[in-house]
Amino acid sequence: LKLMSGRKSKIMKNILIITSSNLPIPPVKGGAVQNLIYFYLLNNEINHKFNFTVTSIYNEKAVIETEKRKFKNTKFVYISNSNSLEKIQHSGIKGVSGLIYKYRKKHHIKEIEKIFGNINDKFDMILYENVPEYTCSFSNFNGKKILHLHNDSVNIDTFDSYDNFEKNVDGIIAVSEYISRRVKQVYKKPVYTVYNAISLKKPNSERIKHIKQIYDIKDSDLVFIFTGRIVEEKGIHIFLQALANFEPSNIKVLLVGGKGYGDDIKDEYYYKLKSIVSNISDQVIFTGYVDYSNMIDYLMCADVGFLLSIIPEALPMTAIEYISMGIPVIGTKMGGITEVIDETCGFLIDNDEHAVENCEEIIKKIINNKNELSLKKVAAQKKSKLFSMDSYNENMLKIMSDFT
């Protein structure tokens, strides 16, 4: 355990934020949820609405970042982490990885309960960040318990698997209307929708130039981009199968990311993708993991993004990043994707047996109709205003205020 101290205030309400055992806060290893938590923590450093205490899995770089930032209104409590168990979990060994994951989750919340003990005289509210399985913790707490839900994990199929969920949770913040609708089918207490936001740094012209040089991207190239985890559920193979039928040599594809967060493990799916594009391998670039702070420079190299998820997305951060940069998106009609992408700022297809064929038709349309693409770029930037940082922070902090 390592405790990073911040300033106390008798006036301010005290909120305990419980995060997962996967990735640390600050988000030095990436993670959409971790970045979103960090956004309102940083905002609270400026506006000081609350005194936050954040639990996080221990990470040396995260501790260094908190010391560098000199947080005044947030304490960080770090929970010990077994690096060897973490490596086994992310090794991809069937059966074993899942067991390790479950063990680490149980150990994490037990450690948190042990550290804090009776919290009734310490906190006014607990905010569970995307950990519905932890909401049964601190069962004797007299304050409010809120769940911020970033995925489709509380629904008609899963609800009964959580212990006394309705009793334990006083309200839910969902990241999309899709998730809100799913939750409301089984949960009768207040449910709010707060759209995610992004925070991209200013582009670095020298780094952009370097990216184009090392990957031989010319100004005349039509560049497609995917950013995120290189995993099957993201449907990258659908796009590459469609692209493999094209001959134009001025098309480039940037696949920016690794299998997991902060790693470049090459698994069976990676080699499947390499096989699909074996005849056009010089046009498809696997960059490996890229730190989130540098992501904007890769986006600046792109004309069109794609997110062809084969499972419902809650609210994809990558799609929001694309449109905020004026990049139209090819997406599947899955979950919250359609709340970010519509036909004005992108192209939507069904996730069915015709997905590759339909994606191929869209690529043809993009190649042959540059005017339409230009209009969609303008519409994308306009649509991105729905996902502003100011709106996200304001809504999150207001809901916290309402419950305290």
Side-chain angles (χ1 to χ4, degrees), residues 149-366:
L149 196 58
H150 297 254
N151 57 25
D152 186 18
S153 55
V154 178
N155 55 55
I156 198 166
D157 299 315
T158 66
F159 192 72
D160 291 338
S161 67
Y162 302 115
D163 293 337
N164 297 314
F165 188 88
E166 191 95 27
K167 178 184 176 183
N168 286 325
V169 181
D170 296 292
I172 293 177
I173 305 169
V175 299
S176 66
E177 291 296 339
Y178 166 72
I179 296 299
S180 287
R181 288 193 299 271
R182 295 275 285 168
V183 170
K184 287 176 182 177
Q185 290 178 337
V186 290
Y187 179 77
K188 305 309 176 188
K189 291 182 180 178
V191 179
Y192 308 85
T193 298
V194 175
Y195 281 140
N196 291 341
I198 60 165
S199 178
L200 292 170
K201 294 182 179 180
K202 290 182 179 179
N204 182 315
S205 57
E206 286 301 312
R207 193 179 292 121
I208 294 166
K209 184 179 178 182
H210 177 67
I211 292 168
K212 288 184 175 181
Q213 283 179 341
I214 61 173
Y215 295 128
D216 192 28
I217 298 172
K218 301 177 179 63
D219 291 339
S220 58
D221 286 339
L222 176 63
V223 182
F224 294 87
I225 192 169
F226 169 84
T227 61
R229 293 182 300 125
I230 309 299
V231 291
E232 187 167 10
E233 54 261 37
K234 298 297 182 182
I236 304 163
H237 56 283
I238 296 171
F239 181 84
L240 295 185
Q241 285 168 355
L243 185 73
N245 296 323
F246 283 86
E247 293 182 2
S249 58
N250 69 325
I251 292 179
K252 287 279 174 42
V253 180
L254 284 170
L255 300 178
V256 186
K259 179 190 175 184
Y261 297 105
D263 67 51
D264 284 323
I265 295 172
K266 294 175 174 60
D267 64 354
E268 185 179 340
Y269 186 64
Y270 170 86
Y271 289 108
K272 174 183 175 178
L273 298 181
K274 293 289 279 188
S275 175
I276 291 170
V277 298
S278 58
N279 293 331
I280 51 169
S281 57
D282 57 331
Q283 295 173 244
V284 180
I285 300 149
F286 292 77
T287 69
Y289 174 78
V290 169
D291 189 89
Y292 186 74
S293 62
N294 298 327
M295 192 62 69
I296 189 170
D297 300 316
Y298 287 83
L299 293 172
M300 288 291 291
C301 299
D303 298 293
V304 183
F306 63 94
L307 180 61
L308 299 167
S309 299
I310 60 176
I311 61 172
E313 293 268 359
L315 192 78
M317 296 292 286
T318 52
I320 298 172
E321 289 163 3
Y322 296 152
I323 64 172
S324 72
M325 297 300 297
I327 300 173
V329 189
I330 307 171
T332 42
K333 300 173 185 176
M334 298 294 286
I337 291 178
T338 57
E339 293 178 51
V340 183
I341 307 304
D342 56 35
E343 292 295 342
T344 67
C345 62
F347 310 85
L348 290 168
I349 63 172
D350 291 314
N351 175 43
D352 58 19
E353 66 273 18
H354 303 295
V356 173
E357 180 185 337
N358 291 333
C359 187
E360 189 176 335
E361 289 301 314
I362 288 171
I363 296 172
K364 284 180 186 175
K365 185 188 289 189
I366 291 169

